[in-house]
Amino acid sequence: MPDRPHLVRAVKGTRDLLPPGTLLWQRVEDDARQAFEAYDFKEIRTPILEPTALFARSVGVDTDIVSKEMYTFEDRDRESLTLRPEATASVVRSCLEHGLLADGGIHKLYYIGPMFRRERPQKGRYRQFYQIGAEVLGSDHPLIDVEVIEMLESFLRGVAKTGVGEFNLLINSVGCGRCRQEYVKLLRRELEPVKATMCGDCQRRAETNPLRVFDCKVEADQPVIARLPTILDYLCPECRQHFEAVTGELSRRGIAHQITPRLVRGLDYYTRTTFEITSGALGAQNALLGGGRYDGLAELLGGPPAPGFGFAIGEDRLVETIREASRSIAGTPDWEEDSLHIFVAWMDHPAGIASNDLARELRAKRLKVALTYEPMKLKKSLGLANRYHARFAVIIGEQELASGCYQVKDMKTGAQQEVKREEVAAYLQERLGA
Ligand code: AMP
């Protein structure tokens, strides 16, 4: 006997999302669409595969994402391609490529889809993960920052009815090209005498891109980092005014936020506002989402100036926090309930034909229907109906065929009712509220 070939498994750091778990994913995505559309966002879908240069130029070559986490390969024609590690750069590329920004208006776009980063897999961190994000292009008005954060807040509170529980909004400004340049010079000077005590990455960053030192996760470097000057103290008057406008209006709208001067976020394209929402329910990987303003990104990608603001929610983590939050609420959340409407039970062959016809009619009315493909004893059929959590069973045997009346059994109460064949669909629709 030849050896059985070994089982092929999913790639490390990727995972299968299976039913019924996918019910919550669908629910989250439906709710996001609704919440974003209320703010006049429209969906954009860009390719997962992009030219590598897109991310090198926007996210930045000194960032962890570009320097060590991208899935990059050479295509057959030698072009360097990358599985997108994030989608903001793609959205801006797409808008520029299609001339969307040429009308001088404001464009609000959202996306939902997989991203790829070759990070060390752990709870809450995957190599293929999903983001739900939105971008506003065409204006640097501080009210855009506030409106988007307000939209996020209301979405997080109500998503999947449960919401995500407690969360914290951390906010900072990383300044503009001008004031950041001055600050980075200062940072470089401050790092000079201490960098030798820091990790290899930080020593490199201190030379090439000092702001990235704030991304360092090495424990021993943290006291040094904590003593570095923060950009908030070096903002130019325009950036300061912008930041005060954002935080002032957040306060006026009653949106709690924590000014966090060391929040620079791990991507180079950010300017002015950067923010993150964290949740205690997530443990070590506690960032639920992150975002900010990127007023120079369109130009970095070869386009005309087009300021932008956006965020990306980690959908894997969002789903996790909702599950966590739902544990403290009584009752089964509706995204956990298996919701088969009707099970059609039949006992012998002529009834099989009638059962399939009835199932087809009910399904055309978008009721969820299951039935067996082989005849089955009534008791066994009803057992299956129970196992599938069907709300109703329709029983069709020889007698029912002869009389033209089917038995409809309410699986919750056990009550059974005879219903004329042609009235079965209307009868069930009414009772199911469908
Ligand atoms: P970023 O694009 O790095 O600003 O990340 C935005 C959000 O995406 C984070 O706050 C996380 O919730 C999520 N995220 C980033 N990387 C991963 C990952 N490897 N696995 C799961 N979620 C992630």
Side-chain angles (χ1 to χ4, degrees):
M1 279 265 285
D3 277 351
R4 222 187 322 161
H6 69 84
L7 208 60
V8 178
R9 292 181 186 279
V11 173
K12 185 176 172 192
T14 72
R15 57 187 184 144
D16 301 306
L17 303 171
L18 305 172
T22 40
L23 286 176
L24 179 54
W25 286 75
Q26 290 176 335
R27 176 64 180 274
V28 161
E29 291 168 14
D30 288 349
D31 286 1
R33 288 175 198 283
Q34 264 195 21
F36 299 173
E37 281 164 18
Y39 281 77
D40 197 27
F41 282 78
K42 304 200 165 47
E43 186 180 5
I44 182 169
R45 299 189 189 198
T46 59
I48 285 170
L49 215 47
E50 292 277 9
T52 304
L54 176 66
F55 306 109
R57 266 156 72 179
S58 56
V59 175
V61 286
D62 296 316
T63 59
D64 282 355
I65 295 178
V66 174
S67 67
K68 45 189 174 193
E69 294 169 0
M70 292 206 305
Y71 282 95
T72 295
F73 62 95
E74 214 170 69
D75 199 0
R76 286 164 202 270
D77 61 4
R78 311 240 142 191
E79 190 187 2
S80 179
L81 302 180
T82 293
L83 294 180
R84 64 179 184 195
E86 62 109 50
T88 303
S90 302
V91 171
V92 175
R93 177 206 48 73
S94 170
C95 287
L96 292 173
E97 196 167 331
H98 299 283
L100 291 193
L101 307 176
D103 64 359
I106 293 181
H107 296 265
K108 296 176 162 187
L109 300 162
Y110 75 87
Y111 60 84
I112 300 176
M115 309 294 156
F116 303 83
R117 294 183 197 172
R118 203 173 187 288
E119 296 188 84
R120 195 166 63 77
Q122 52 183 290
K123 190 171 177 295
R125 195 188 277 176
Y126 308 98
R127 290 180 169 177
Q128 174 172 337
F129 59 100
Y130 295 79
Q131 285 187 337
I132 302 177
E135 317 290 348
V136 183
L137 289 152
S139 165
D140 65 357
H141 202 291
L143 282 185
I144 289 177
D145 309 27
V146 177
E147 188 180 80
V148 169
I149 291 174
E150 174 196 282
M151 171 175 92
L152 268 171
E153 217 223 3
S154 108
F155 168 64
L156 293 179
R157 292 210 187 285
V159 59
K161 217 146 89 191
T162 311
V164 298
E166 291 297 311
F167 56 84
N168 294 310
L169 166 61
L170 315 178
I171 193 164
N172 190 25
S173 172
V174 293
C176 62
R178 263 185 317 130
C179 55
R180 193 159 56 198
Q181 224 172 8
E182 287 306 305
Y183 168 72
V184 165
K185 264 195 225 155
L186 169 75
L187 205 54
R188 197 168 265 136
R189 275 205 304 277
E190 296 282 328
L191 281 166
E192 198 47 48
V194 289
K195 68 179 185 202
T197 65
M198 301 180 85
C199 72
D201 275 344
C202 280
Q203 295 190 17
R204 188 175 44 78
R205 291 163 176 152
E207 299 291 332
T208 55
N209 192 345
L211 206 61
R212 297 271 67 88
V213 163
F214 290 104
D215 300 337
C216 176
K217 293 179 188 80
V218 175
E219 214 35 65
D221 287 356
Q222 299 312 310
V224 181
I225 293 169
R227 281 194 297 273
L228 292 171
T230 62
I231 186 145
L232 267 193
D233 294 326
Y234 297 88
L235 295 181
C236 63
E238 291 79 12
C239 286
R240 170 147 304 284
Q241 208 176 16
H242 192 277
F243 189 56
E244 281 167 4
V246 172
T247 51
E249 181 60 15
L250 284 174
S251 301
R252 199 194 62 79
R253 296 191 193 186
I255 299 173
H257 56 279
Q258 213 172 302
I259 295 175
T260 311
R262 284 186 174 75
L263 182 73
V264 296
R265 315 228 347 94
L267 302 89
D268 274 358
Y269 55 61
Y270 284 118
T271 53
R272 295 192 165 169
T273 314
T274 53
F275 72 104
E276 227 167 68
I277 290 186
T278 60
S279 158
L282 283 172
Q285 302 300 319
N286 67 355
L288 196 52
L289 65 93
R293 183 158 277 295
Y294 45 84
D295 293 340
L297 179 53
E299 284 159 282
L300 279 178
L301 296 178
F309 182 83
F311 65 81
I313 307 174
E315 191 177 359
D316 306 71
R317 297 184 191 176
L318 177 59
V319 163
E320 183 58 36
T321 43
I322 298 168
R323 283 198 206 287
E324 202 54 51
S326 73
R327 286 195 189 108
S328 56
I329 292 168
T332 314
D334 48 10
W335 38 262
E336 253 182 20
E337 257 165 32
D338 246 332
S339 58
L340 186 66
H341 292 137
I342 300 143
F343 189 89
V344 184
W346 60 280
M347 271 78 30
D348 45 41
H349 269 295
I353 294 172
S355 298
N356 277 289
D357 288 348
L358 176 67
R360 184 182 188 178
E361 183 189 337
L362 298 174
R363 286 164 168 168
K365 297 185 189 306
R366 296 291 173 255
L367 296 174
K368 298 181 210 172
V369 182
L371 75 173
T372 55
Y373 300 104
E374 297 289 344
M376 193 177 273
K377 292 235 159 47
L378 182 60
K379 207 167 150 204
K380 212 168 156 199
S381 268
L382 292 179
L384 264 186
N386 261 327
R387 213 169 81 204
Y388 293 163
H389 304 291
R391 267 299 282 119
F392 289 93
V394 180
I395 302 160
I396 310 179
E398 223 172 300
Q399 235 178 7
E400 285 73 24
L401 277 188
S403 70
C405 285
Y406 297 168
Q407 300 290 333
V408 179
K409 188 178 175 77
D410 183 321
M411 298 300 291
K412 257 191 201 152
T413 63
Q416 201 160 305
Q417 170 87 36
E418 212 172 63
V419 183
K420 278 202 194 120
R421 196 246 160 278
E422 48 297 348
E423 288 167 12
V424 169
Y427 176 93
L428 287 168
Q429 271 186 304
E430 193 191 318
R431 272 152 193 84
L432 288 160

